[in-house]
Amino acid sequence: MKELFPVEPMRSSLLDKLWDLQNNNRYISDSDISHLAAELNISAVEVEGVVSFYHFFHRKPSGKYTIYIDDSIIARYKGYHRIVEAFERETGATLGSVDRTGTFGLFSTPCIGLSDQAPAVLINFRPFTQLNVIKVKELVQQLRNGVDIDQMYHPPVSNVCTTIYSKKNIFFNSYTPGKAVKELTKHTSDDILSLLRDTNLSGRGGAFYPTWKKWEACRSYTADYKFIVCNADEGEPGTFKDRVLLQELPGLLIEGMIISGFTVNAQYGIIYLRGEYWWLYDQLQKTIDEFYKLGLLGKDIVGITGFNFDVRIQMGAGAYVCGEETAMLESMEGHRGEPRTKWFYPVEKGYLKSPTIINNVETICAAARIVELGVNEYNKTGLPGSPGTKLISVSGDCQNPGVYEIPWGITVAELLELCVAVDPYYIQVSGPSGECISINEKFRRISMLDLLGLPDLRCGGSFMIFNKEREIIDILLNFASFFKKESCGICTPCRAGNFIIERKLEKLKNKLARQSDIDDMISWGHIIKTTSRCGLGKTSCNSLVMAMQKFGGYFDKLIDKKEDSLMVGFNIEEAVADYEQYKS
Amino acid sequence: MEKMVNIKIDGKLLTVPDGQNLVNAAKDNGIFIPSLCYFEHIEPPLGTCRTCTCKLDGKYQPACTMKVHDGMTVEVNTPELLDMRKSLVEMMFSEGNHFCPSCEKSGNCDLQHMAYELGISVTRFEHLFKDRMIDYGSKRIIMEHNRCIKCKRCVEDVVTDDGKKVFTYQGRGNETFVGIDYKEEPKLSEQQAIAAMELCPTGAIIVRGVSMAHPFGEREFDINSEQKNFTRRFPKSHKPAGMEKKVLATASLAGCFGCHMSMLDIDLELLDLVELVTFNKSPLTDIKKFTGRCHIGLIEGGVCNDENIETLKEFRKMCDILVSVGECAVWGGLPAMRNTIPLSECLEEAYLNCVTSEEGANLVPYHEDLPKILDKIYACHDIVKIDHFIPGCPPSANHIWKSVKHLLWGEEYSILYSEFKYD
Ligand SMILES: Cc1cc2nc3c(=O)[nH]c(=O)nc-3n(C[C@H](O)[C@H](O)[C@H](O)COP(=O)(O)O)c2cc1C
Ligand code: SF4
Ligand code: SF4
Ligand code: SF4
Ligand code: FES
């Protein structure tokens, strides 16, 4: 098992312990639960509560080979159903269960961060991508024949796309380990903060909060120890830019964390890596080990006396909401990943009630590049007020899906051209929690600027492209069911509201809805947004509401307008179908 | 002396102790902010139910997680916020399976009480009827998961003397429920167990043998409102002068005739009423077919078969105003207890496997002439447009006739707190 930092209590190792059990025994047994409870001196029901929160932990054997099939909307359009069928046929397991011999467990899971290579699955957390029915057959055959899975598996390609803008790349450019960190010998923490301020670096996890403000606030608190947490949970369906950064530039990320630690006077760094990215673990750990050897981690880093910084990896276990920063802290502390109230902010009382910075992978990498390049060089790219580049994960109906590094300021149309989009019609920007745009908005600029009247598109990191053949209602239903399952379940509007919305959308899909149902959804979306505790509930209905406003013509076709206004849409055949079975 | 600060609630200037919880500060000054999960001594506040959402300095925030500070401006009773809070409580009813008439907690239930205070007669949301279990696994405490609103009070507050949690959430999303630890629960003293039941704002935690101690109808929330001006008044509306005679029709669908009995329960007033109305199609007159248009139709019972659908549609066509009377008509009521169970299981239990069914019974009745049973009980407004809803199981006679008079002749009326009930 991995070591904790000396300041961390044993409870913080709960997720790791559960992972060990899950990986070794393929499930977590009742006796495991009682042992853990005794060890941590908590009740068994509390351990169970944690186990049941994360969908990669199983309470029943999950098969010698546990197969997770990506069921994101992109995967659904790239053959999810065929793949499920093929796996069911070949393994003898039905989706959601294990075959009779206990060899194969077949489960579906939300986006696994490989939408550019859909359809894809994880088998014992190793990805197999761009599958088709024949490949599935071969895979299962080989596993049955006892071929070592590690021999069959090749890490997926990273898919960084080269474009006319690539010469301006900031991230995907040459990288020398230690180059950024060595700059620290020339800087004070004030310098770093001004570098970040002058380059307008803001949170790439989607909220665009100015990074320097967060760091400055954290610096202002005195505490025995502080933490830098890298948010590598990348759970937003359709997003995979952080995966590619972790694949291509793990060193740059660690440097950014070291710089952050230097600036706010933190001693410990934790990378919270989503369970779907186990396959990136070894390389990331190797990079950390090398950094220790190079004197870039550990004590007196790059010769700065008293500057000590350590980094470890924490594996997540399948819960989108743990990407929310306070839920992540709860999860790291060995609890259920329920977001906290705003009673305290993490910069004051975060992980273990100590001041904590949480930043996205891309934000941290950008900070490292800014220190390495300096303000002038960095600001040469992009727009005034929105300098630099942005990584965008592009997937869906286009010829060249992958990660695009683009200067801030290009338009949607340009990006669609770069990836050779095919008949784009509906585009989901920044994932289900982001916004949807119609092709009519293709001349909008992608930047951080929010000029009144003409707001630019602030893209958090993904573009899912859908052509005119795709049913918008299916897209929205996929999102609604995602939020319904991924809500942490503690606040009413998000837990119950997303469930209610899903039902209403089903009604709409079944052509039983009226205009008033659409109006209801818009108004309920507003209620869920305003009353939910955390970002998940606050954003879950964004796309739905926008879609209904932007694609009115499409929804008009789904609702039935002729019906008598005194009657409500009701399908009597369906309602009596169960009873009709008794007709002899 | 504690420091005092000035805050403004709905334009009213108040002086309150600095840092006081906003819900309390408001309450001390006679301003009612609905709250369900808030429990004074749990800190930080749970902030789970969101029913206390207000606008604080222009931002939507749950009041229970806010401390007052000088110059704070709070909006509590704007139409938007009132509606938003109401909708949150409605969500809890549509999410859980709340059968108040058969609930041990009825009358002592914070959730029910809050819905009374907010005047909820029907939820705008479809009832979800998610199948939930009742956990009889512990010797003393029963967990009735159908009623839990996930307020988190029990999770945070009920611990054994050696500091272990007895309740913890399990699962996630819409599957979240409160798990109870069978090994820790017996370690609670009888008093602690009863305290857990009392701390639960709903009837989800039930201690065997002690939950029915106090009679229904005389319980904490049965009689008086927390709000000074609870009574909901319906002002006189513009209707033609004079009490011209009106035509009424009534029907009982999937109901028990209790609502019809309640209609007769106005004693002597009934005599006045007959002067004013004539009954058309109704079990009270035994008129089976409509003989003409009616001014108002009163529907008791939900919709359980295709015949109910026909009747209801006919009523909709023949009546100017259609009213759902009673819990069953409003959302399904007690018969909807079957809604979480597949129809085949219900029928097979009733006709094939139950103790009173005949030896060798192997047939579920099915005949062209028999009404076809629906997969679940539907509310009347799932089938036709309903204009007015009167809750209660049954609703009080006063509530029914006051509403009817208002709808027919525009008479002013007011519903007292004690007349507004779900059980
Ligand atoms: C439900 C939810 C999921 C989130 N998932 C992620 C995520 O996977 N990765 C991420 O970087 N930020 C995620 N965030 C945003 C984080 O809460 C937080 O704002 C971010 O990590 C801060 O880093 P930044 O300022 O560098 O963007 C999520 C937020 C919510 C509400
Ligand atoms: S909004 Fe959803 S995810 Fe966030 S706290 Fe509430 S229930 Fe949990
Ligand atoms: S009394 Fe309360 S807990 Fe019981 S059914 Fe009614 S609302 Fe639910
Ligand atoms: S059981 Fe009762 S106290 Fe516990 S969360 Fe549910 S409603 Fe709240
Ligand atoms: S009372 Fe404030 S959130 Fe529940």
Side-chain angles (χ1 to χ4, degrees):
Chain A
M1 224 195 61
K2 291 161 260 102
E3 297 263 323
L4 297 180
F5 298 130
V7 294
E8 296 179 89
M10 196 168 32
R11 177 80 190 244
S12 293
S13 65
L14 183 54
L15 256 62
D16 286 349
K17 289 188 163 128
L18 292 170
W19 263 124
D20 281 350
L21 293 164
Q22 175 65 42
N23 285 337
N24 295 334
N25 312 336
R26 322 301 306 157
Y27 80 118
I28 292 151
S29 69
D30 287 348
S31 77
D32 293 335
I33 301 247
S34 353
H35 281 134
L36 285 170
E39 201 180 327
L40 296 171
N41 197 25
I42 56 179
S43 57
V45 81
E46 200 175 342
V47 179
E48 286 231 44
V50 175
V51 174
S52 61
F53 190 83
Y54 300 94
H55 66 246
F56 290 143
F57 294 147
H58 293 257
R59 290 286 276 111
K60 284 192 273 187
S62 58
K64 181 172 168 209
Y65 299 104
T66 314
I67 304 168
Y68 287 103
I69 307 178
D70 170 8
D71 83 347
S72 65
I73 186 67
I74 297 291
R76 282 184 177 250
Y77 283 138
K78 302 273 171 188
Y80 166 82
H81 291 287
R82 285 196 303 277
I83 299 299
V84 171
E85 241 171 64
F87 269 110
E88 288 189 329
R89 199 171 46 236
E90 299 303 324
T91 62
T94 41
L95 192 64
S97 68
V98 180
D99 75 322
R100 245 178 291 141
T101 64
T103 318
F104 298 100
L106 204 57
F107 304 94
S108 68
T109 191
C111 183
I112 56 175
L114 287 161
S115 297
D116 54 334
Q117 297 163 57
V121 302
L122 297 169
I123 305 183
N124 289 359
F125 293 101
R126 289 154 187 88
F128 293 85
T129 61
Q130 287 180 323
L131 292 176
N132 54 40
V133 173
I134 296 167
K135 280 196 199 171
V136 170
K137 195 167 170 171
E138 282 170 8
L139 264 176
V140 177
Q141 269 317 323
Q142 283 180 307
L143 290 172
R144 272 198 204 286
N145 294 339
V147 181
D148 181 4
I149 189 168
D150 282 315
Q151 303 223 302
M152 295 157 50
Y153 152 75
H154 310 281
V157 290
S158 51
N159 251 349
V160 179
C161 298
T162 312
T163 66
I164 44 164
Y165 299 111
S166 295
K167 51 188 182 303
K168 297 184 178 176
N169 275 3
I170 288 174
F171 295 96
F172 297 116
N173 213 324
S174 67
Y175 166 71
T176 324
K179 200 164 165 206
V181 172
K182 280 177 192 139
E183 290 288 314
L184 292 179
T185 53
K186 300 180 231 158
H187 289 299
T188 63
S189 61
D190 280 330
D191 295 344
I192 309 277
L193 291 177
S194 15
L195 282 172
L196 298 184
R197 189 175 46 229
D198 298 343
T199 49
N200 292 64
L201 181 62
S202 57
R204 301 286 172 92
F208 290 92
Y209 187 77
T211 308
W212 70 271
K213 279 195 191 164
K214 193 185 275 188
W215 290 19
E216 187 178 54
C218 185
R219 188 181 67 165
S220 73
Y221 293 101
T222 36
D224 291 342
Y225 42 88
K226 300 183 187 176
F227 295 93
I228 308 298
V229 175
C230 166
N231 188 340
D233 200 49
E234 199 163 54
E236 194 64 44
T239 316
F240 46 85
K241 59 171 182 85
D242 294 345
R243 171 201 102 207
V244 176
L245 278 172
L246 290 158
Q247 246 175 312
E248 293 289 309
L249 295 162
L252 187 66
L253 171 68
I254 299 167
E255 291 196 45
M257 293 178 73
I258 300 169
I259 290 165
S260 178
F262 173 85
T263 311
V264 309
N265 200 10
Q267 297 84 334
Y268 301 108
I270 298 175
I271 301 170
Y272 189 99
L273 186 62
R274 68 192 303 229
E276 289 84 343
Y277 290 172
W278 261 116
W279 56 280
L280 290 164
Y281 178 88
D282 285 344
Q283 189 199 329
L284 189 56
Q285 186 58 48
K286 217 170 85 197
T287 314
I288 295 174
D289 296 342
E290 272 161 22
F291 268 53
Y292 275 102
K293 281 194 210 117
L294 292 171
L296 296 169
L297 282 174
K299 295 211 166 2
D300 300 333
I301 294 170
V302 290
I304 305 173
T305 357
F307 175 38
N308 308 332
F309 195 72
D310 293 297
V311 170
R312 73 170 183 93
I313 306 171
Q314 174 64 56
M315 292 309 298
Y320 164 68
V321 68
C322 288
E324 198 280 341
E325 51 188 23
T326 58
M328 180 168 287
L329 299 175
E330 287 290 314
S331 175
M332 285 165 36
E333 291 178 9
H335 296 130
R336 295 163 56 80
E338 292 162 0
R340 298 174 177 174
T341 57
K342 302 273 176 281
W343 204 246
F344 295 111
Y345 284 94
V347 285
E348 182 187 356
K349 287 191 180 161
Y351 183 50
L352 305 175
K353 298 205 170 65
S354 290
T356 303
I357 295 254
I358 300 140
N359 274 131
N360 171 257
V361 174
E362 187 183 338
T363 316
I364 298 178
C365 289
R369 285 300 198 200
I370 287 168
V371 171
E372 184 185 327
L373 297 172
V375 174
N376 291 337
E377 189 59 30
Y378 183 91
N379 284 358
K380 272 185 193 158
T381 317
L383 296 175
S386 182
T389 60
K390 176 78 191 96
L391 301 183
I392 299 185
S393 335
V394 177
S395 62
D397 295 315
C398 63
Q399 284 181 14
N400 301 324
V403 168
Y404 287 79
E405 177 161 1
I406 55 148
W408 284 119
I410 75 167
T411 60
V412 173
E414 284 171 88
L415 180 58
L416 292 174
E417 205 167 298
L418 292 178
C419 68
V420 199
V422 188
D423 190 19
Y425 176 62
Y426 172 109
I427 303 154
Q428 189 67 35
V429 181
S430 313
S433 73
E435 51 186 307
C436 62
I437 60 171
S438 105
I439 192 64
N440 300 335
E441 298 169 73
K442 69 179 175 189
F443 293 113
R444 280 176 73 183
R445 243 177 9 180
I446 303 170
S447 92
M448 296 185 279
L449 298 178
D450 204 7
L451 302 176
L452 278 177
L454 192 81
D456 283 357
L457 208 53
R458 276 207 206 177
C459 178
S462 88
F463 246 62
M464 292 191 266
I465 304 165
F466 300 94
N467 67 32
K468 202 148 188 181
E469 302 296 298
R470 311 301 188 192
E471 292 289 344
I472 296 176
I473 182 77
D474 289 340
I475 302 173
L476 297 177
L477 254 170
N478 180 276
F479 294 170
S481 131
F482 170 77
F483 288 122
K484 178 189 83 174
K485 290 191 208 128
E486 294 297 329
S487 150
C488 83
I490 62 163
C491 77
T492 316
C494 169
R495 181 189 64 243
N498 283 310
F499 196 177
I500 290 167
I501 291 282
E502 188 194 29
R503 284 278 177 92
K504 217 33 166 196
L505 282 171
E506 278 164 1
K507 193 172 171 193
L508 185 60
K509 184 177 160 73
N510 295 334
K511 307 217 164 142
L512 290 172
R514 301 286 171 80
Q515 182 59 41
S516 64
D517 291 295
I518 300 231
D519 300 341
D520 282 348
M521 275 191 267
I522 293 176
S523 113
W524 302 352
H526 176 67
I527 294 171
I528 295 170
K529 182 191 176 97
T530 26
T531 58
S532 284
R533 175 191 280 195
C534 87
L536 192 150
K538 284 186 192 302
T539 56
S540 60
C541 294
N542 280 358
S543 303
L544 173 91
V545 172
M546 279 188 191
M548 306 222 154
Q549 287 160 347
K550 290 182 183 178
F551 297 86
Y554 171 82
F555 292 101
D556 277 351
K557 280 189 293 180
L558 289 180
I559 58 182
D560 101 55
K561 299 206 135 157
K562 302 185 296 292
E563 277 279 343
D564 186 346
S565 67
L566 290 176
M567 299 295 154
V568 175
F570 186 79
N571 185 339
I572 185 155
E573 282 79 33
E574 211 167 283
V576 297
D578 289 353
Y579 182 65
E580 291 290 5
Q581 286 166 15
Y582 295 97
K583 185 169 178 176
S584 47
Chain B
M1 254 284 285
E2 51 193 349
K3 192 178 149 216
M4 301 298 277
V5 293
N6 293 316
I7 64 169
K8 219 186 220 171
I9 299 187
D10 286 340
K12 197 167 139 193
L13 207 60
L14 305 172
T15 309
V16 296
D18 194 13
Q20 193 187 13
N21 188 295
L22 178 57
V23 171
N24 291 340
K27 194 172 180 175
D28 291 349
N29 288 282
I31 297 165
F32 171 69
I33 302 181
S35 68
L36 274 170
C37 67
Y38 179 56
F39 201 56
E40 251 165 78
H41 67 267
I42 301 181
E43 219 205 272
L46 301 167
T48 56
C49 76
R50 323 303 279 180
T51 42
C52 63
T53 300
C54 292
K55 226 168 167 175
L56 310 180
D57 298 326
K59 266 180 75 181
Y60 298 96
Q61 299 272 9
C64 73
T65 66
M66 300 312 272
K67 301 174 196 160
V68 298
H69 60 79
D70 199 33
M72 189 180 216
T73 338
V74 189
E75 288 168 57
V76 179
N77 288 320
T78 67
E80 187 202 15
L81 287 164
L82 284 168
D83 181 63
M84 216 171 246
R85 288 195 292 260
K86 204 168 160 182
S87 78
L88 287 166
V89 177
E90 288 173 21
M91 268 186 210
M92 294 175 198
F93 278 91
S94 85
E95 189 200 19
N97 297 311
H98 294 273
F99 300 96
C100 294
S102 69
C103 179
E104 295 87 337
K105 191 87 168 203
S106 192
N108 283 331
C109 169
D110 290 315
L111 171 63
Q112 190 189 48
H113 166 63
M114 209 45 74
Y116 291 166
E117 296 281 1
L118 300 175
I120 295 172
S121 42
V122 61
T123 70
R124 68 195 76 181
F125 310 108
E126 173 195 357
H127 279 253
L128 298 167
F129 294 115
K130 186 177 163 43
D131 192 15
R132 295 195 165 83
M133 32 159 230
I134 306 175
D135 184 350
Y136 295 100
S138 311
K139 288 241 154 48
R140 186 175 34 188
I141 290 181
I142 298 170
M143 288 305 292
E144 225 299 13
H145 295 302
N146 290 301
R147 302 171 184 159
C148 169
I149 56 166
K150 287 91 185 172
C151 72
K152 214 180 182 186
R153 282 183 179 183
C154 61
V155 175
E156 287 302 316
D157 214 50
V158 182
V159 285
T160 59
D161 290 340
D162 46 2
K164 291 192 185 166
K165 287 194 169 171
V166 179
F167 303 96
T168 316
Y169 286 148
Q170 308 291 315
R172 189 177 70 202
N174 67 321
E175 303 283 343
T176 311
F177 68 97
V178 173
I180 180 166
D181 196 307
Y182 301 150
K183 240 171 70 194
E184 303 300 328
E185 186 270 339
K187 295 184 193 157
L188 295 176
S189 69
E190 184 72 6
Q191 256 176 333
Q192 284 172 322
I194 291 175
M197 172 168 79
E198 280 167 359
L199 141 153
C200 175
T202 70
I205 300 180
I206 299 291
V207 178
R208 294 173 203 245
V210 295
S211 59
M212 306 290 261
H214 203 71
F216 291 106
E218 294 171 21
R219 293 180 166 192
E220 186 181 0
F221 302 127
D222 278 334
I223 304 146
N224 288 318
S225 167
E226 231 174 274
Q227 304 170 82
K228 261 191 294 186
N229 314 313
F230 170 82
T231 318
R232 280 170 316 122
R233 274 180 239 296
F234 296 79
K236 208 168 164 56
S237 63
H238 297 288
K239 291 270 156 121
M243 297 274 249
E244 58 185 281
K245 206 153 173 155
K246 301 274 182 177
V247 189
L248 240 96
T250 74
S252 175
L253 309 178
C256 69
F257 273 96
C259 295
H260 273 81
M261 300 306 279
S262 192
M263 286 177 207
L264 302 177
D265 211 16
I266 42 174
D267 305 327
L268 288 180
E269 254 187 83
L270 205 53
L271 298 176
D272 302 336
L273 195 73
V274 200
E275 297 288 301
L276 289 171
V277 298
T278 44
F279 283 89
N280 199 294
K281 179 175 159 117
S282 163
L284 301 173
T285 55
D286 213 22
I287 299 178
K288 299 271 196 305
K289 284 210 155 55
F290 277 106
T291 55
R293 251 198 106 65
C294 301
H295 292 103
I296 197 165
L298 306 179
I299 308 289
E300 166 197 321
V303 179
C304 77
N305 59 33
D306 62 347
E307 187 194 24
N308 291 160
I309 296 185
E310 289 306 306
T311 314
L312 190 55
K313 284 189 170 168
E314 202 190 357
F315 264 76
R316 182 67 272 183
K317 281 185 201 128
M318 298 305 290
C319 303
D320 296 344
I321 302 170
L322 208 53
V323 186
S324 277
V325 180
E327 294 297 305
C328 301
V330 171
W331 64 273
L334 290 183
M337 279 186 170
R338 80 156 161 101
N339 283 10
T340 61
I341 305 166
L343 178 68
S344 58
E345 238 174 86
C346 298
L347 292 175
E348 277 153 37
E349 178 64 26
Y351 292 107
L352 310 182
N353 307 326
C354 96
V355 280
T356 56
S357 63
E358 274 175 43
E359 194 76 35
N362 61 1
L363 213 63
V364 170
Y366 183 103
H367 189 273
E368 288 306 310
D369 297 342
L370 288 176
K372 288 185 180 137
I373 301 178
L374 306 182
D375 56 344
K376 58 178 193 177
I377 306 283
Y378 291 88
C380 293
H381 64 275
D382 288 336
I383 312 290
V384 301
K385 185 171 172 279
I386 297 287
D387 306 296
H388 195 76
F389 300 87
I390 305 176
C393 189
S396 79
N398 279 339
H399 193 166
I400 299 175
W401 291 117
K402 281 198 239 174
S403 307
V404 169
K405 284 187 200 160
H406 174 77
L407 291 168
L408 288 179
W409 298 286
E411 259 186 42
E412 175 182 313
Y413 85 120
S414 51
I415 295 294
L416 307 177
Y417 181 87
S418 56
E419 288 171 343
F420 191 87
K421 288 279 166 293
Y422 302 152
D423 62 352

